[in-house]
């Protein structure tokens, strides 16, 4: 919204209305939460910090700009239920710093500490019970559109890279290309513009984390049984498209997957981890995480005795820890379909014995439990920590130790 600087300057000159709000400086957290939810509960909008109510541009000090952006993100995460997926941008107008906060139209109804608000004209209004009830009813129906199909603010067709999206639509040009991108839900029509969808950004951009913060895999290897910086051997952030993130994280584990062997006739190699189980665990973490949550990444921790994978988001729908083995519910159906279309290279195929990243048979959890248990003698453990799923896979003990 207001993507060009000239368009934004023209809008500032016209003053506040139902889709734009000015703030000379950061207000209280609760008040800011009210403004953000009011836009999200209506048709979306933009908050400009560093602009007076009358349109005068006063700017924000350099030293304060990053702090204000951090506070805004914290407010969306901690003070609004459910949290709002915003996009922030730092701009320079007349040599003065401006913080642009773009609030998209949401498929959810959001509550701030002071209640339920909606933008009306140039101000917010608390919704009366009957209006709130109608909005909740209408948006409960709208949520049949999955989050991975929703548009990402401040993106356009050029956000998607041709060599990446041609994997899904083939080689074509012009209107046919746009139509196919929309048909595959990689692009979404937004009034008179096209925006990349969440799935489009995650599968067709090498810079997805610039649009969807924390949409990458963080991996750390410790030569110990605890998170101790003194024993940290390696740490990497794996970014890019989701298929690249999976392979890079997979190779990270493979690099430190120690292999022991018997010295008897008929040597038997025994790795700490089944790489097939690790691959399934990484695919599940990437496909089923909640990409609307900004506060954390997928984290992979390797220790001397175990591997832990944390994936943001509560279990989808009616799933429970006990039912993971028996039920298959996909949070991000579009992402799952796209990953199923990407073939694995020969090296990965040999290790995991499959042709594509996702085969849709619902066998992933079973493979993780069975193959890991066979190696270590201990079943992997799934646990919920708040709204985050943690999988622990235990390392097999060394054959040379006779264990």
């Amino acid at each position: 919204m207001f993507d060009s600087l000239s368009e934004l300057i023209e809008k500032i000159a016209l003053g506040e209305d139902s889709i734009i709000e000015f703030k000379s400086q950061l207000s209280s957290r609760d008040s800011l939460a009210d403004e953000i939810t009011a836009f999200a509960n209506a048709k979306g909008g933009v908050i400009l910090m560093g602009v007076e109510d009358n349109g005068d541009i006063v700017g924000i000090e350099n030293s304060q700009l990053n702090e204000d952006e951090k506070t805004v993100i914290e407010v969306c995460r901690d003070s609004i239920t459910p949290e709002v997926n915003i996009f922030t941008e730092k701009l320079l107008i007349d040599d003065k710093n401006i913080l642009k906060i773009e609030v998209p139209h949401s498929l959810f109804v959001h509550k701030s500490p002071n209640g339920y608000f909606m933008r009306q004209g140039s101000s917010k209004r608390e919704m009366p019970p009957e209006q709130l009830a109608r909005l909740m009813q209408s948006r409960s129906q709208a949520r049949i559109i999955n989050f991975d199909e929703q548009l990402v603010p401040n993106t356009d067709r050029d956000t998607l890279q041709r060599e990446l999206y041609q994997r899904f639509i083939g080689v074509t040009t012009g209107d046919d290309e746009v139509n196919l991108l929309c048909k595959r839900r990689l692009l979404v029509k937004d009034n008179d513009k096209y925006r990349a969808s969440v799935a489009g950004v995650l599968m067709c951009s090498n810079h997805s984390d610039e649009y969807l913060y924390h949409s990458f895999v963080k991996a750390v290897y410790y030569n110990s049984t605890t998170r101790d910086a003194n024993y940290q051997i390696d740490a990497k952030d794996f970014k890019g498209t989701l298929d690249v993130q999976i392979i890079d994280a997979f190779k990270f584990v493979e690099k430190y997957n120690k292999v022991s062997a018997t010295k008897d006739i008929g040597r038997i190699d025994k790795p700490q981890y089944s790489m097939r189980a690790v691959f399934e665990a990484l695919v599940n973490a990437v496909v089923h995480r909640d990409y609307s949550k900004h506060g954390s990444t997928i984290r992979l921790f390797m220790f001397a005795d175990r591997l832990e994978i944390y994936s943001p988001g509560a279990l989808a729908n009616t799933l429970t820890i006990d039912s993971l083995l028996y039920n298959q519910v996909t949070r991000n159906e579009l992402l799952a379909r796209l990953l199923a279309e990407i073939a694995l290279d020969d090296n990965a195929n040999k290790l995991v014995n499959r042709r594509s990243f996702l085969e849709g048979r619902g066998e992933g959890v079973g493979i993780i439990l069975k193959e890991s248990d066979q190696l270590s003698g201990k079943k992997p453990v799934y646990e919920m920590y708040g709204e985050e799923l943690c999988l622990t896979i235990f390392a097999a003990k060394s054959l040379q130790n006779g264990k």
Side-chain angles (χ1 to χ4, degrees):
M1 194 175 291
F2 316 129
D3 293 333
S4 71
L5 205 57
S6 59
E7 184 182 9
L8 187 62
I9 291 171
E10 288 177 3
K11 193 64 182 174
I12 292 173
L14 292 172
E16 296 178 326
D17 56 25
S18 61
I19 57 173
I20 193 165
E21 168 80 12
F22 303 151
K23 288 190 174 297
S24 59
Q25 60 185 356
L26 188 67
S27 55
S28 71
R29 286 175 178 252
D30 287 359
S31 177
L32 179 62
D34 295 342
E35 298 288 356
I36 292 172
T37 56
F39 278 124
N41 288 335
K43 294 184 178 181
V46 168
I47 299 173
L48 290 182
M49 291 180 56
V51 180
E52 295 277 10
D53 290 343
N54 61 6
D56 289 344
I57 299 172
V58 294
I60 303 170
E61 295 294 330
N62 281 326
S63 58
Q64 190 63 33
L65 191 60
N66 288 337
E67 192 63 32
D68 284 354
E69 182 184 40
K70 179 181 176 183
T71 299
V72 171
I73 293 171
E74 288 175 353
V75 165
C76 291
R77 183 187 66 214
D78 302 332
S79 301
I80 299 174
T81 306
E83 70 178 85
V84 176
N85 179 31
I86 62 165
F87 184 87
T88 61
E89 186 177 8
K90 300 166 189 172
L91 302 171
L92 197 63
I93 302 178
D94 295 337
D95 294 324
K96 295 174 182 176
N97 297 318
I98 302 296
L99 182 62
K100 178 186 175 188
I101 306 162
E102 184 164 347
V103 184
H105 165 74
S106 178
L107 294 181
F108 297 86
V109 180
H110 299 271
K111 182 180 181 181
S112 65
N114 293 317
Y116 292 93
F117 292 88
M118 180 174 280
R119 187 79 175 184
Q120 293 182 344
S122 59
S123 61
K124 64 181 183 296
R125 294 284 185 273
E126 188 169 8
M127 286 185 280
E130 63 275 10
Q131 184 183 15
L132 178 59
R134 287 196 302 272
L135 184 65
M136 285 185 167
Q137 184 178 29
S138 65
R139 294 200 176 179
S140 68
Q141 297 298 317
R143 288 202 295 274
I144 60 174
I145 301 176
N146 294 326
F147 183 78
D148 58 349
E149 297 184 19
Q150 294 185 41
L151 65 87
V152 178
N154 214 47
T155 60
D156 53 34
R157 177 183 172 183
D158 292 334
T159 302
L160 307 182
Q161 296 169 237
R162 178 169 278 107
E163 71 275 11
L164 295 176
Y165 63 65
Q166 282 182 342
R167 300 183 295 176
F168 308 112
I169 67 168
V171 179
T172 184
T173 57
D175 290 342
D176 288 341
E177 185 175 76
V178 173
N179 291 336
L180 283 171
L181 288 171
C182 289
K183 186 175 181 179
R184 294 305 310 269
R185 300 296 293 176
L186 299 171
L187 274 184
V188 180
K189 191 73 178 292
D190 179 28
N191 295 321
D192 59 340
K193 297 179 180 179
Y194 289 100
R195 308 288 186 189
S197 68
V198 171
V201 168
L202 292 171
M203 296 302 300
C204 303
S205 172
N206 287 321
H207 309 286
S208 58
D209 60 298
E210 294 181 6
Y211 303 97
L212 297 167
Y213 304 134
H214 302 103
S215 60
F216 58 91
V217 177
K218 181 181 290 291
V220 185
Y221 173 57
Y222 298 97
N223 189 22
S224 68
T225 58
T226 59
R227 293 183 205 174
D228 187 336
N230 292 320
Y231 293 94
Q232 181 176 308
I233 305 300
D234 197 0
K236 294 284 193 304
D237 288 344
F238 298 121
K239 302 182 179 183
T241 57
L242 294 188
D243 52 302
V244 170
Q245 292 182 33
I246 291 168
I247 291 298
D248 287 346
F250 179 79
K251 290 178 178 178
F252 183 90
V253 176
E254 184 184 18
K255 178 180 178 181
Y256 295 109
N257 188 13
K258 296 176 182 178
V259 177
S260 61
T262 58
K263 295 181 180 179
D264 301 329
I265 296 174
R267 172 188 171 101
I268 300 174
D269 290 337
K270 184 177 182 181
Q272 285 183 303
Y273 305 103
S274 159
M275 291 308 299
R276 189 173 178 223
V278 169
F279 184 83
E280 296 287 353
L282 288 168
V283 170
N284 284 351
V286 165
V287 170
H288 297 299
R289 76 151 286 182
D290 186 349
Y291 287 96
S292 71
K293 297 182 73 66
H294 300 279
S296 61
T297 65
I298 293 173
R299 282 113 57 222
L300 185 158
F301 298 113
M302 288 188 73
F303 300 94
D305 62 345
R306 69 194 187 282
L307 182 154
E308 296 176 352
I309 299 177
Y310 292 82
S311 181
L315 292 174
N317 298 333
T318 57
L319 275 181
T320 64
I321 293 292
D322 293 335
S323 67
L324 280 174
L325 179 61
Y326 308 103
N327 295 316
Q328 182 183 13
V329 178
T330 303
R331 186 194 304 276
N332 302 300
E333 293 183 3
L334 178 54
L335 286 176
R337 290 198 299 272
L338 296 173
L339 280 168
E341 296 177 29
I342 302 177
L344 288 172
D345 62 31
D346 290 340
N347 290 333
N349 180 276
K350 290 175 184 177
L351 287 170
V352 303
N353 191 29
R354 69 192 307 169
R355 290 169 295 180
S356 62
F357 278 82
L358 199 67
E359 294 189 340
R361 294 194 295 262
E363 299 173 349
V365 174
I367 291 171
I368 294 166
L369 296 178
K370 180 180 178 181
E371 297 206 0
S372 300
D373 188 13
Q374 287 175 342
L375 266 180
S376 67
K378 295 179 70 175
K379 280 191 176 180
V381 175
Y382 284 96
E383 297 173 285
M384 289 300 304
Y385 295 104
E387 291 193 356
E388 193 165 54
L389 180 66
C390 174
L391 167 63
T392 301
I393 301 176
F394 299 99
K397 294 181 180 178
S398 170
L399 282 171
Q400 294 176 356
N401 294 332
K403 298 179 181 179

